[in-house]
Amino acid sequence: MATAAWLPFARAAAIGWMPVANCPMPVSPMDNSKRQDELIILNVSGRRFQTWRTTLDRYPDTLLGSSEKDFFYNEDIKEYFFDRDPDAFRSILNFYRTGKLHYPRQQCISAYDEELIFFGIIPEIIGDCCYEEYKDRKRENLERLQDDQEENKDMKLPHMNFRETMWRAFENPHTSTMALVFYYVTGFFIAISVITNVVETVPCGPTANQKDMPCGERYTVAFFCMDTACVMIFTVEYLMRLFAAPSRYLFMRSVMSIIDVVAILPYYIGLVMSNNEDVSGAFVTLRVFRVFRIFKFSRHSQGLRILGYTLKSCASELGFLLFSLTMAIIIFATVMFYAEKGSSSSKFTSIPASFWYTIVTMTTLGYGDMVPKTIAGKIFGSICSLSGVLVIALPVPVIVSNFSRIYHQNQRADKRRAQKKARLARIRISKSGSTNTFLHNKRNGLLNELLELTDTEEDEQKRTKYTSLLQSQHHHLLHCLEKTTAHEFVDEQMFEQNCLETVLQTYPSPSPSISSHDSSAGTCCGRRVKKNSPLPNASMPSTYSVPSNQCPLQELSAMHIQCCDPSSRTASRSNLNLKTNESSRINCKSGRITTAIISLPSPPALTPDGDGLRGPLQRRPPQPQPQQQPPGHPAALSIQTTSSSAGTNIVKVSAL
Amino acid sequence: MSVRWETEGLQTVGIVCLVIMFLKLMHLLGLIDITETDNSDSDLELSTVRHQPEGLDQLQAQTKFTRKELQSLYRGFKNECPSGLVDEETFKTIYSQFFPQGDATTYAHFLFNAFDIDRNGSIRFEDFVIGLSVLLRGSVTEKLNWAFNLYDINKDGYITKEEMLAIMKSIYDMMGRYTYPCVRDEAPSEHKMDKNRDGVVTIEEFIETCQKDENIMNSMQLFENVI
């Protein structure tokens, strides 16, 4: 309370009760932390704010008023340091000083909200002067977020049954081709139906036996057929919507469905009714309702819907307009009637008859079929027309501004939808970029380990350095996750290739087992499982061949490094299996680098071309590196495998 | 005949209407001046009266507060009442905030009169701080004096039965309705002070009675360390 400053006074004044008190008084609470009031320095991102301690103590349930601020106390500079926005902090500190929280207009609403939450202040205590603005901005923001969320409705939910799919197709025609086709077909038929109704009444030209007849009566059958066709389409559409609607009751109550019903009912009623004279009058009336079909266009047109919504939201202004007009009409009609009563052959035969004149005059139509002849009538008639202009002009701008606001909101929503797609694409690229960085760095990390052992001069420079400690720690974390689950991250395309390959096969490699072979037999989609055979040691003869159908064990897959280095590719890949070549080709198109697990053959004993090692090491200009490896260096990279009975094998690659 | 009369009457009415509207339009446009009472000057409002307190040194001499305490008090005072003066309405509002359940306005009125020494309808900072000095740093006799002054509504030196009753009632009003046990209407009417039963209490009787009562003496020391 701001009146906390006056509490000492109120307590002191309580001495006035003492002489008349009946019972002894309770002991007063001790104020142990009796400090002299001191200045506190609050350093918010460099801007220093100073205030009295007691000012902050006024609101003990906020951050600044409680001991929570001790967490931010910096011993070295003897200040409370907050790494927040100093502009927003101004209004927060003013809240302590004056007891009123103000919302600055130029501040972004969500930034302001975050600051309030951080400092522990509830937004409800924003003063009346700024509360309207705050609430308006907050509502706007919420609507914007809701708009964005509604976009997610377009996303395919994984398990939608037929009914839900249909409903979605009806509500958002752009989600599937069928829906779009349906949308256009119904639109076309609505147009046909309306045009038919209009053309029906046009005089078609004289026939043999009669003069001008409207077309409808001349080509009755044709028009009837057209009408029937349209009504059938509409009926089918209505029934389908009714079937697909999640809540049938709500659907039947909605405006659009009522319009649908009203549009098709006259036809059926006409069918049912016989052609006798009594009811044909009513029948004619029913035909009028056929024009309601044009309202079905509002599903197809955004603008119509906005118009309808605007009129609904301006109901009060429209009501006021109507009421004031009615009042004015009655007044002026009465006056005109009595003014014109005296003149001969006056058209103003009664007050209701004068209503017509008043309306025509007030809306400045002025048909001239009823004209005042007396002086009084003319005077009052002119007053009537002047006031009509005013009365009608007043509520109209309100309606216009409402319409404009809603329309622009819709425009903004559409624009946001379009921009959102681009935004999402960009976000996806950056996300995949970071995954690629991880994979890239992991490979480089392993290579670094490898290179450490081989350790030639120029390789040192080629070692990639991590760009930041943060990144290296993040990658280490991902690496640990991989190790924990014994699976590996791959990027999308690799993953899809693997899926593709399992469909195709697993091609048994003619060359020794070391040859890299993409294998992802088994559970491809979902995990990239690496199967491994108990890898041959150095002495593995070239006769080793893995029958593909035996156990789903294959070698480690070498990941293909695409460095747009065609020579190296062709040189080494020649007898790697086709698959890899294809996939490498596919990879190369995108020029990406995929992760490599190094499958090292150790030994020089192997045929020079079977080396998976070749793969990763193609990064450097091809050197006869493997050959140079001494036989005693077989364990530079050893691949340990363990096979589990479950058929999935865990591959560990480690550098010794 | 009557019809003609009606028409002519309406004609007249119409013409009269026209003339009046014309005149009003002229007046609006400023072409003619229909004399009316000029209200425009009353828009000038007198700016609110401001008051600056005496210097810190004088206040220090007049009260028993230290310099720092005076500074702190003034800051609180000025924050609530930037103009430097507290009028009765503001005072009542402030005091009522401490007693949300009952109606503190009557007692606040008495309190206001007790603080407003020179009876000019507003409390200045000097009044405020002098009163507080008595209450918080004064001797028991001074405090009792102050209390007597509070109870003596018309400041004539005697507390009558009616004044006492009024004070008691205002105190009980602050409790509000929701009390346990319920406040009976006769509760305020107790008067243990009148020694010589002459219907009034003088300052000497008051002080004497209070000094004899231990409870009262103890409770007078209760708020020593408020500031």
Side-chain angles (χ1 to χ4, degrees), chain A residues 337-474:
Chain A
F337 170 70
Y338 282 112
E340 287 288 305
K341 206 160 155 198
S343 84
S344 53
S345 73
S346 140
K347 293 233 168 88
F348 294 82
T349 50
S350 65
I351 294 188
S354 323
F355 281 169
W356 175 243
Y357 168 77
T358 319
I359 292 177
V360 165
T361 313
M362 283 188 89
T363 54
T364 69
L365 279 176
Y367 289 135
D369 53 350
M370 284 165 86
V371 173
K373 293 196 172 62
T374 62
I375 299 182
K378 286 187 179 161
I379 292 177
F380 287 114
S382 42
I383 298 179
C384 172
S385 63
L386 286 176
S387 63
V389 168
L390 288 176
V391 166
I392 293 186
L394 286 175
V396 167
V398 179
I399 300 175
V400 165
S401 82
N402 255 359
F403 179 78
S404 148
R405 177 178 60 87
I406 296 174
Y407 186 70
H408 281 128
Q409 245 175 20
N410 252 299
Q411 298 283 70
R412 271 206 308 266
D414 286 340
K415 237 192 298 183
R416 262 206 307 278
R417 253 177 285 233
Q419 285 170 354
K420 183 167 180 158
K421 291 211 167 93
R423 244 179 51 218
L424 283 180
R426 261 182 278 136
I427 289 176
R428 214 185 26 234
I429 288 178
S430 80
K431 265 201 194 146
S432 70
S434 76
T435 320
N436 283 345
T437 320
F438 167 63
L439 301 174
H440 176 64
N441 281 328
K442 196 172 78 163
R443 171 190 56 80
N444 286 345
L446 289 174
L447 276 174
N448 282 346
E449 291 162 8
L450 165 66
L451 294 176
E452 265 167 24
L453 307 164
T454 59
D455 211 343
T456 52
E457 203 46 48
E458 61 262 37
D459 294 337
E460 293 233 8
Q461 296 142 10
K462 292 222 179 147
R463 277 195 232 163
T464 51
K465 301 260 183 289
Y466 275 106
T467 47
S468 74
L469 180 64
L470 206 61
Q471 203 183 42
S472 70
Q473 286 173 343
H474 184 218

Side-chain angles (χ1 to χ4, degrees), chain A residues 2-3 6-9 11-13 15-20 22 24-26 34 37 52 58 338-339 342 380, chain B residues 3 10 14 75 79-80 91 97-98 107 115 128 132 135 151 164 174 190 193 215-216 219-220 222-223 226-227:
Chain A
T3 47
W6 282 65
L7 186 60
F9 161 76
R11 296 180 71 199
I15 290 193
W17 308 338
M18 301 305 150
V20 295
N22 287 331
M25 291 290 140
K34 209 65 219 291
D37 205 3
W52 295 106
R58 282 194 200 144
Y338 282 112
F380 287 114
Chain B
V3 170
L10 270 175
R75 279 203 306 272
N79 228 353
E80 268 311 300
F91 187 83
Q97 288 189 8
F98 294 106
Y107 187 70
F115 267 90
F128 178 72
L132 270 186
L135 286 173
Y151 297 158
M164 204 64 204
M174 280 198 285
E190 67 131 6
M193 297 278 174
N215 270 341
I216 297 181
S219 55
M220 282 294 174
L222 197 61
F223 295 110
V226 163
I227 290 193

